[in-house]
Amino acid sequence: MLDTLIAKMGAIFFIILVFIAGALALLMMSKWFMVHNEAQFIARSMGKYGGYTTEADRNLKEFAREINADKSNFDAQVSACSPVSWGTVVTSEIRYTYRFAVGEYIPGFDVPLTGRGRSVSTYLDGAYNVSYTSPSY
């Protein structure tokens, strides 16, 4: 009788543990999709305007604020800070360190998430009136 009670409690504990780990993995995957989507958005913007614009920088800062990132766990790199000619490949890369943990009591670990975007520049001189910058986050 006691052994069945212990076995049931152990099974319930195991199911709860698997459920929590699955929920954390799902959250991590959704963060990775968000990071990858933002990197592709920036690359597409760089392809349209020929380089990294202040509008893209504003969007990147807003994205970092939405995922609660700070300078210690978020980094962005782009291949073209100034206008590049038509047909040049432009890339962007965002690195975000996701903390895989449950609260403060169970020790967690960091998972580096990297999103990469790639596009081809369709910029023509004089087509747009935009200002260029480098990632300031």
Side-chain angles (χ1 to χ4, degrees), residues 43-83:
R44 192 173 38 237
S45 171
M46 288 170 43
K48 179 179 179 181
Y49 297 113
Y52 188 75
T53 62
T54 54
E55 182 180 334
D57 193 51
R58 201 170 329 129
N59 186 281
L60 181 66
K61 287 179 184 177
E62 181 180 331
F63 172 73
R65 184 180 46 80
E66 286 175 1
I67 64 170
N68 297 325
D70 59 5
K71 290 188 183 286
S72 66
N73 66 351
F74 188 80
D75 183 37
Q77 295 177 349
V78 296
S79 64
C81 293
S82 59

Side-chain angles (χ1 to χ4, degrees), residues 3-4 15 25 29 31 37 40-43 47 50 63 82 84 95 100 104 108-109 118 134:
D3 58 340
T4 58
I15 291 171
M29 289 298 292
K31 289 280 187 177
N37 189 36
Q40 186 60 40
F41 174 79
I42 289 173
F63 172 73
S82 59
V84 296
R95 291 187 188 99
F100 197 90
E104 298 174 5
F109 54 93
R118 182 180 169 133
S134 60

